Amino acid sequence: MSAEIICVGTELLLGDILNTNAQFLAQQLASLGIPHYYQSTVGDNLERLQQVIEIASKRASILIFTGGLGPTPDDLTTEAIANFFNTPLVERPEIIADIAQKFASIGRKMTPNNRKQALLPEGAEVLPNPSGTAPGMIWQPRPGLTILTFPGVPSELKRMWQETAVPFLKSQGWGKEIIYSRMMRFRGIGESALAEKVAPLLDLTNPTVAPYASLGEVRLRVSTKASSQADAIASIEPVAQQIRDIAGLDYYGSDDDTLASVVGRLLREVGETVSVAESCTGGGLGAMLTTVAGSSDYFVGGVIAYDNRVKISLLGVNREDLEQFGAVSHPVAKQMAAGVQKQLGTNWGLSITGIAGPGGGTQTKPVGLVYIGIAAPDGTAQSVEYRLGAMRDRESVRSIAAANALDLLRRRLLTRKNKKL
């Protein structure tokens, strides 16, 4: 017994819009404990739609459709479903009345093509759409198979799902168990290295542990099936604690945590502030810090020192060091961090200088070479070299460099905190 999500629309296949509906429905199915093994995306084509229905109806007991419920000729979802199950379409007067009322409420008259939205397979129940003109349906064309259809507009789908679909599914016996996951986030360690460290845990069956990699970080999803969220958390927590113990400082947070939110929390705990001096990232580090609401409590500001004259005049970088070592170097990174710390009167100073590419690299200083400086409250300054690789594009180098600067500060704050404990 499982569900399959079928997203309809040529615009999805062309990449014109992001398919957020599939993500939302997948999360909702997990929260109801409904197994979900397949997703399909198909264009606005009657024959291909019916091919998808044929395959999906053999391997799932709940088919959830999004898109293709509009009034235009290329909206074919309802027609395809009815044709496949050899069931006639019947015009529903209550749907026509609802659509006409919605048009009247905004001073418009319903057009004839909207009558198409009132057609449902004989025997299907209306799945009301309070926000739009396209209703969905709940239909059981044969024993053991349930079909739910939704419009493609995300806001409409979400409301219809919560108000009608969830109560219906629960009335059918679904939702007695939930699938609960925690996404654990790591920085400074590769996917293969982390997987090797936690290898015994990857063989668990409940909870399960699965690794994922994304730009500059690794994630471990810990999932379990349980009768309640409280039971799920109780099941997951011992495994999560083992992972935290194994990973040490490489673990930085879970679920909605970001490096910026974690750093902000640590700074707020000790009542300290930070400022930034950026060259190749051009303000990206400051932008990351300010994504967090309330970041003005600890983030004072920054200097975008792209030109060497700015590094010298505003940050106090030594001209001779620039000439001898170059802008992308340990001495300059350290002086930039100390300079912004002094100029803005903060406890911490962070700096970034590097070669983001695609040009500008040399044999000794290739594209992707980045130095991150950090000036501490005790008056010391240091810098760390990162070689992010010439294979990365410019924006990836900039993004990873800014995140690495936050991670460097996070590690320093946590190390100091752990020493005091």
Side-chain angles (χ1 to χ4, degrees):
M1 301 289 282
S2 64
E4 182 159 340
I5 299 168
I6 302 171
C7 300
V8 183
T10 302
E11 69 276 10
L12 296 172
L13 296 176
L14 293 174
D16 291 338
I17 63 171
L18 184 64
N19 190 359
T20 59
N21 286 339
Q23 181 185 35
F24 169 78
L25 289 169
Q27 292 169 340
Q28 291 296 307
L29 289 171
S31 71
L32 290 170
I34 299 177
H36 161 226
Y37 304 126
Y38 300 95
Q39 293 180 8
S40 301
T41 302
V42 59
D44 301 304
N45 177 281
L46 192 64
E47 182 181 351
R48 287 191 285 273
L49 253 169
Q50 291 181 331
Q51 290 172 352
V52 168
I53 296 169
E54 181 179 12
I55 295 169
S57 62
K58 291 176 181 177
R59 64 189 182 191
S61 52
I62 303 173
L63 305 186
I64 303 172
F65 292 80
T66 72
L69 302 187
T72 59
D74 64 345
D75 289 306
L76 300 169
T77 298
T78 304
E79 180 183 348
I81 294 169
N83 286 355
F84 180 80
F85 291 102
N86 297 313
T87 303
L89 290 168
V90 178
E91 187 174 85
R92 304 290 287 267
E94 69 272 32
I95 296 177
I96 294 176
D98 179 66
I99 295 173
Q101 185 276 325
K102 286 171 179 170
F103 272 97
S105 68
I106 56 174
R108 292 170 58 191
K109 186 176 180 180
M110 186 183 83
T111 55
N113 64 351
N114 282 107
R115 298 184 73 96
K116 177 182 178 180
Q117 295 175 295
L119 296 172
L120 292 183
E122 187 175 48
E125 297 180 31
V126 177
L127 203 168
N129 182 349
S131 309
T133 61
M137 68 171 164
I138 300 174
W139 188 33
Q140 295 174 312
R142 68 184 186 214
L145 180 65
T146 299
I147 292 175
L148 296 92
T149 65
F150 300 86
V153 180
S155 60
E156 295 178 17
L157 177 149
K158 289 177 181 178
R159 186 173 177 185
M160 294 165 69
W161 177 266
Q162 297 292 355
E163 293 185 2
T164 304
V166 170
F168 167 78
L169 290 169
K170 287 185 175 180
S171 73
Q172 301 298 301
W174 298 100
K176 293 180 179 178
E177 289 188 307
I178 64 167
I179 300 172
Y180 181 86
S181 297
R182 180 179 301 172
M183 191 66 75
M184 303 183 71
R185 300 178 180 275
F186 307 82
R187 193 93 190 176
I189 187 171
E191 181 184 14
S192 57
L194 181 61
E196 186 175 342
K197 283 189 171 186
V198 301
L201 301 177
L202 300 180
D203 294 328
L204 295 175
T205 55
N206 194 29
T208 60
V209 180
Y212 299 88
S214 57
L215 186 64
E217 74 172 48
V218 184
R219 295 168 291 163
L220 290 178
R221 188 202 66 210
V222 187
S223 301
T224 189
K225 196 168 188 178
S227 58
S228 68
Q229 183 168 315
D231 288 344
I233 292 172
S235 174
I236 281 176
E237 184 51 34
V239 176
Q241 186 58 55
Q242 287 185 63
I243 293 170
R244 287 193 291 267
D245 292 340
I246 293 168
L249 285 176
D250 290 334
Y251 167 77
Y252 78 82
S254 294
D255 297 331
D256 295 331
D257 286 334
T258 64
L259 283 168
S261 67
V262 171
V263 166
R265 189 160 60 241
L266 292 169
L267 287 169
R268 191 178 278 117
E269 284 178 5
V270 291
E272 293 180 343
T273 56
V274 64
S275 56
V276 299
E278 304 182 59
S279 181
C280 67
T281 47
L285 176 55
M288 280 187 178
L289 282 161
T290 55
T291 57
V292 181
S295 54
S296 58
D297 291 346
Y298 49 83
F299 178 57
V300 172
V303 174
I304 300 176
Y306 215 66
D307 191 277
N308 284 347
R309 291 171 295 177
V310 181
K311 294 180 178 72
I312 295 167
S313 61
L314 292 185
L315 299 175
V317 174
N318 186 281
R319 185 185 301 272
E320 287 72 26
D321 286 338
L322 279 165
E323 292 173 355
Q324 180 180 353
F325 301 106
V328 182
S329 63
H330 280 298
V332 171
K334 287 191 286 187
Q335 291 173 49
M336 287 173 64
V340 77
Q341 177 195 40
K342 179 181 178 181
Q343 289 287 66
L344 298 187
T346 54
N347 301 101
W348 296 89
L350 283 176
S351 70
I352 303 175
T353 178
I355 304 168
T362 66
Q363 188 171 357
T364 56
K365 292 188 176 183
V367 170
L369 177 65
V370 173
Y371 290 92
I372 296 175
I374 183 167
D378 62 7
T380 61
Q382 69 174 113
S383 70
V384 180
E385 178 185 289
Y386 296 87
R387 292 182 178 262
L388 304 180
M391 297 295 290
R392 298 188 186 275
D393 62 79
R394 180 178 178 83
E395 284 312 304
S396 294
V397 170
R398 285 155 49 92
S399 176
I400 294 172
N404 282 355
L406 289 177
D407 191 51
L408 181 60
L409 177 56
R410 177 188 70 87
R411 289 169 183 268
R412 289 290 298 273
L413 288 163
L414 277 174
T415 299
R416 187 184 64 179
K417 178 180 178 180
N418 292 338
K419 284 180 179 179
K420 293 179 178 179
L421 294 177

